[in-house]
Amino acid sequence: MTCRPRSGSIRGKGGWHFVTLPPELGARIKTAMVGAARPWGSLGVQAVIGQTRWRTLLFPDKKSGSLLLRIKTAVRVREGLGAGDTANLTIEMQL
């Protein structure tokens, strides 16, 4: 999947940026992970961008109806990513 990190009003403390998953992908993940959600509806996943793999959470996004993937500063710096850049993203989940 190709993603475009975005920042702005949802940029959080500590330099977090978020990727909004395409709605059809978000719906498939939510269906596959029924009953696995943590507090606030978050889902634990492993994400990979380039050579960087990290454990993170997907969060529900009321605005898009999909899921948000947070991308911490260390990942963005390691992969040379900024807001608006495009990157290949892999999300791995244990069912």
Side-chain angles (χ1 to χ4, degrees):
M1 177 175 88
T2 300
C3 64
R4 192 175 292 276
R6 66 182 171 105
S7 64
S9 63
I10 65 165
R11 182 169 182 225
K13 194 174 187 179
W16 290 98
H17 282 58
F18 296 82
V19 171
T20 303
L21 300 183
E24 62 280 357
L25 179 59
R28 286 177 41 208
I29 291 171
K30 287 190 262 185
T31 298
M33 302 287 286
V34 167
R38 297 174 180 181
W40 300 285
S42 64
L43 298 167
V45 298
Q46 282 201 24
V48 181
I49 294 179
Q51 299 299 308
T52 307
R53 174 184 299 269
W54 75 104
R55 295 177 83 64
T56 189
L57 298 170
L58 296 173
F59 291 95
D61 180 30
K62 290 182 182 178
K63 183 177 178 181
S64 70
S66 187
L67 296 168
L68 294 174
L69 171 74
R70 59 186 184 174
I71 303 177
K72 59 185 178 178
T73 300
V75 173
R76 291 186 294 108
V77 168
R78 206 172 300 139
E79 295 299 329
L81 293 172
D85 288 348
T86 300
N88 290 319
L89 168 67
T90 301
I91 297 171
E92 301 172 353
M93 302 161 288
Q94 287 194 333
L95 300 176

